């Protein structure tokens, strides 16, 4: 019995004896214990109950491509270039990048766990199996890289639309593309673009969304974090339903972006902007700046009203923004 099968066997949340697990898999109790430890090492909180065996503190819904596809509205299901779920990848975005030109438009890749999940500015993204969602989407654009200004901000709005479809309205956006709730990071977005500046190009859009975080994972994160369980009285939406909501929002939102650019998202971004009218401190290539958030412009640049009254626009995402 390998880790995926063990997680599935424990998915009900009810205790399962080690003997029963070993007999079902045709292995020794010691082999089951090794896989339990392997899951724990990945961040899965497997509990021990003596002779009663092992359990999880909650039920886990395993991801399944057919079930996710069935949850999509037909028009979106028919438009996808592919929908795949893996047990483990280095990262879902890396998988799509490796495929290059072979990946059809609107290809979706998901994984139960990632060994090298990537966030913005080279940061790692914790990716334990069974708890959260790790999804990447490849979108092709004919207009070229020159027309993709504001795409990462638009994806932030797209994630907010997916959350809204799930009945979750306690989150907001921190420029350029972090989704926060209660001051903690709920979702991360990484957009990687390749191709021609004026010709065909492709964007690989990676999204990590926290559904459940253990106290150990919160400690490992090294920053304030949030999860959907905390926003939903301890019981987050179904992982299948959440994945379908994200995919549907991506399909509709990326079509709108391809047609109208960031203009189609400016008003929604402003509605969810957590930095507007807040005292901010910025550090980056332009040096250290202090002022008050003044929203974003039509290109997606952060507008900062400096303490001396001048307006500064920040285009580069290679900057650290904090509330002063």
């Amino acid at each position: 019995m390998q880790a995926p099968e063990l997680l599935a066997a424990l998915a009900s949340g009810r205790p399962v004896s080690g003997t029963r697990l070993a007999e079902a898999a045709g292995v020794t109790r010691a082999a089951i214990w090794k896989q339990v430890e392997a899951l724990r090492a990945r961040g899965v909180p497997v509990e021990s109950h003596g002779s009663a065996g092992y359990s999880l503190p909650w039920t886990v819904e395993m991801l399944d491509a057919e079930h996710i596809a069935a949850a999509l509205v037909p028009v979106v299901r028919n438009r996808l270039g592919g929908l795949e779920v893996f047990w483990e990848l280095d990262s879902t975005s890396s998988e799509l990048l490796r495929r290059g030109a072979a990946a059809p438009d609107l290809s979706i890749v998901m994984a139960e766990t990632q060994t090298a999940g990537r966030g913005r500015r080279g940061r790692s993204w914790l990716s334990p199996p069974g708890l959260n969602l790790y999804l990447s989407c490849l979108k092709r654009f004919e207009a070229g890289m020159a027309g993709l200004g504001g795409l990462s901000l638009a994806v932030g709005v797209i994630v907010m639309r997916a959350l809204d479809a799930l009945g979750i309205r306690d989150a907001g956006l921190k420029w350029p593309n972090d989704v926060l709730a209660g001051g903690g990071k709920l979702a991360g977005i990484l957009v990687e673009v390749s191709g021609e500046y004026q010709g065909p190009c492709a964007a690989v859009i990676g999204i990590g969304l926290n559904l459940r975080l253990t106290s150990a994972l919160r400690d490992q994160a090294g920053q304030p974090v949030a999860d959907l369980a905390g926003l939903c009285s301890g019981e987050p939406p179904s992982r299948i339903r959440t994945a379908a909501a994200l995919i549907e929002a991506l399909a509709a939102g990326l079509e709108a972006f391809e047609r109208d650019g960031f203009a189609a998202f400016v008003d929604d971004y402003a509605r969810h902007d957590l930095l507007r009218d807040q005292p901010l401190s910025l550090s980056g290539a332009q040096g250290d700046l202090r002022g008050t958030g003044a929203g974003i412009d039509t290109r997606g640049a952060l507008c900062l009203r400096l303490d001396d009254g001048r307006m500064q626009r920040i285009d580069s995402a290679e900057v650290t923004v904090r509330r002063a």
Side-chain angles (χ1 to χ4, degrees):
M1 178 175 284
Q2 299 300 308
E5 290 78 21
L6 178 58
L7 184 60
L10 299 176
S12 69
R14 297 187 295 271
V16 183
S17 74
T19 300
R20 179 181 166 190
L21 291 168
E23 290 175 349
V27 298
T28 65
R29 286 283 304 274
I32 295 298
W33 179 82
K34 287 181 180 179
Q35 290 303 325
V36 167
E37 290 302 301
L39 282 179
R40 287 171 173 165
R42 291 172 179 264
V44 181
V46 181
E47 299 176 344
S48 296
H49 302 280
S51 60
Y54 305 101
S55 74
L56 298 174
W58 46 67
T59 60
V60 168
E61 184 179 37
M62 303 294 288
L63 296 177
D64 179 87
E66 290 186 4
H67 290 166
I68 296 171
L72 297 171
V73 296
V75 65
V76 171
R77 184 166 59 244
N78 294 335
R79 284 177 53 203
L80 294 184
L83 172 57
E84 298 172 86
V85 175
F86 294 84
W87 163 253
E88 178 183 276
L89 291 171
D90 50 355
S91 87
T92 54
S93 288
S94 294
E95 175 65 18
L96 283 175
L97 288 169
R98 282 191 291 267
R99 298 182 186 187
D105 186 45
L106 283 183
S107 292
I108 304 289
V109 168
M110 304 182 67
E112 282 284 3
T113 183
Q114 300 178 121
T115 59
R118 292 180 289 117
R120 191 170 69 91
R121 302 180 69 187
R123 298 186 179 98
S124 61
W125 186 267
L126 298 175
S127 307
L131 305 185
N132 307 311
L133 287 181
Y134 322 111
L135 176 153
S136 292
C137 171
L138 182 139
K139 178 71 181 98
R140 300 196 178 280
F141 296 93
E142 293 301 320
M145 296 168 64
L148 300 189
L151 177 58
S152 64
L153 280 75
V155 176
V157 173
I158 287 169
V159 173
M160 293 298 299
R161 291 173 179 173
L163 294 176
D164 186 68
L166 295 167
I168 298 165
R169 299 176 178 88
D170 297 324
L173 295 170
K174 177 190 173 186
W175 187 92
N177 53 15
D178 284 343
V179 181
L180 306 184
K185 191 164 182 175
L186 178 66
I189 295 162
L190 179 65
V191 177
E192 298 170 278
V193 180
S194 61
E196 302 296 328
Y197 187 74
Q198 297 289 350
C201 68
V204 171
I205 299 156
I207 299 171
L209 176 61
N210 297 328
L211 273 73
R212 287 193 186 275
L213 294 172
T214 64
S215 56
L217 289 169
R218 292 176 185 274
D219 291 341
Q220 289 179 48
Q223 62 177 315
V225 289
D227 60 14
L228 294 188
L231 301 178
C232 301
S233 302
E235 190 58 42
S238 147
R239 293 174 80 216
I240 297 291
R241 182 183 171 211
T242 303
L246 269 177
I247 292 168
E248 289 179 353
L250 279 166
L254 292 174
E255 180 181 16
F257 187 90
E258 186 173 30
R259 183 180 61 247
D260 302 318
F262 186 61
F265 299 86
V266 171
D267 291 343
D268 273 359
Y269 193 98
R271 188 160 57 90
H272 298 298
D273 188 354
L274 295 175
L275 299 185
R276 190 178 186 92
D277 298 325
Q278 298 297 313
L280 303 177
S281 173
L282 280 69
S283 59
Q286 295 173 295
D288 296 334
L289 298 170
R290 293 178 65 89
T292 302
I296 56 170
D297 65 16
T298 56
R299 298 177 296 109
L302 174 66
C303 298
L304 181 71
R305 185 176 294 106
L306 301 177
D307 292 342
D308 62 9
R310 292 181 295 126
M311 188 69 74
Q312 182 86 27
R313 285 174 169 77
I314 313 298
D315 287 297
S316 173
E318 299 302 311
V319 63
T320 299
V321 182
R322 295 187 177 90
R323 292 189 181 182

